[in-house]
Amino acid sequence: MKSRMDLNKDKQELLDDLISGKISFHKLDSLTDKQTAVMIRRYALEKTSGFNFDHIQNFSIDVEDAGKRNIENMIGAIQIPLGVASPLKVNGEFSDGIFQIPLATTEGALVASVNRGCSVITRSGGANVRIFRDLMTRAPVFRLENVIKSKEFADWLQDPAVLSRMKTKASETTRFGELVDVQAFVTGNTVYVRFSYDTKDAMGMNMVTIATDAVLSLIKDEFGAIPVSLSGNMCTDKKPAAINSILGRGKTVVADVTIPAEIVESRLKCKPETMVEVNYRKNLLGSARAGSLGYNAHAANIIAAMYLACGQDPAHVVEGSSAITTMELNKYGELYCSVTLPAMAIGTVGGGTNLGTQSDCLRLLGVKGSGNPPGSNSKKLAEIIASAVLAGEISLIGAQAAGHLAKAHAELGR
């Protein structure tokens, strides 16, 4: 990294103009040398704030690539500790084998907890996991004249010929995405239209936004309805929403495992029936009493840590946290555990998956880039994440059933 003394006259003038406020941080994005732009912004902040940064300038991220895809006004990078929980045996349709789980977190005891859950699952034969739905959505909102017109619009959208033309229009914007379904939701003279797409290995939010925008031009030309907004919040992204729990958004994934009683007692230090009661009174009754949309112990912990490690949009942990955890005894006295994740927005191409450190983690899991067939890598990642969430749920409920939660945090100095 260059020092300030290495700046040539033109770059020094840019720095002075930035400090004086003559130009904005964003103006520097036009520089051909993105690394220099990052440095000048940071120097300007040091000058105006009165202190020097000690760490954010140290990173291995490709500035050129990040500046095009991931960030504006870049000044450096934030580092998050990365740990691994393993081994985790996964019995999925796309992920069949043993995996090491990368977890980026600053929460002490999290990796240790997931690691214990992985051990329990693997000793019990592995987590069974399946994907039930895989569709990304965008839902523009329209204002019609009255309910009569709203009904006409909703009926028109269901015409197979109209749907075919909308699919064709959407396909003109993407090589990989495919419009699959269109649903109308009416509130008086307001109509929300939820478009659902297969986005293959991409998480696909940008893809479906662009495709839906193209479809809106067709709707305007053929029906005459003009949208109030490209997104009417019935999509619904990055917000807790019952519609995602019911209809799904992104990938709807379910993972389960049956744990022999002796493994519960030897590894989790409690009885299977105790874990069943803790889960029932905490995750089910407690969540219902609180009005929660998530019926789980800490699914968001594992989802956030894996999203950060694997280049996913961390804001989508909101939808991921709406998981439901169940535990019950089978007729043999074994502990059956499951997690249902109705809305996991993830991908293995695009977004932060191109960053160097995140690429390393995706390669560790064997899911970097597009799969063969298309869509298989993102599904594999979804199955692995769901299995890791199951591991985290089993470990935490076991710790609470055994009374070990506070002790674990105290021993690890947190």
Side-chain angles (χ1 to χ4, degrees), residues 28 44 48 115 134 149 206 275 393:
L28 270 65
T48 56
N115 196 73
D134 184 8
K149 203 67 176 177
N206 291 338
M275 288 184 64
E393 292 292 280

Side-chain angles (χ1 to χ4, degrees), residues 48 65 72 84 150 171-172 178 247 330 341 348 381 411:
T48 56
D65 195 43
E72 299 79 42
V84 63
S150 295
S171 69
E172 295 173 358
E178 178 187 357
L247 298 182
N330 67 12
L341 297 115
T348 56
L381 178 60
E411 287 181 350

